Coordinates of all heavy atoms in Angstrom, one line a residue:
R44 N 2.4 44.0 65.1 CA 3.2 44.6 64.1 C 3.9 43.6 63.2 O 4.0 43.8 62.1 CB 4.4 45.6 64.6 CG 3.7 46.8 65.3 CD 4.6 47.8 65.8 NE 5.5 48.2 64.8 CZ 5.3 49.4 64.2 NH1 4.1 50.1 64.4 NH2 6.0 50.0 63.2
S104 N -31.8 36.4 31.6 CA -32.4 35.8 32.8 C -31.3 35.7 34.0 O -31.7 35.8 35.2 CB -33.0 34.4 32.8 OG -32.1 33.5 32.1
P155 N 2.3 57.0 47.0 CA 3.4 57.0 48.0 C 4.6 57.7 47.3 O 4.9 57.5 46.3 CB 3.6 55.6 48.3 CG 2.5 54.8 47.8 CD 2.0 55.5 46.6
T179 N 17.2 30.3 67.7 CA 16.5 29.9 68.8 C 16.3 28.5 68.9 O 16.0 28.0 70.0 CB 15.0 30.6 68.8 OG1 14.4 30.3 67.7 CG2 15.2 32.2 69.0

Side-chain angles (χ1 to χ4, degrees):
R44 292 178 69 86
S104 60
T179 57

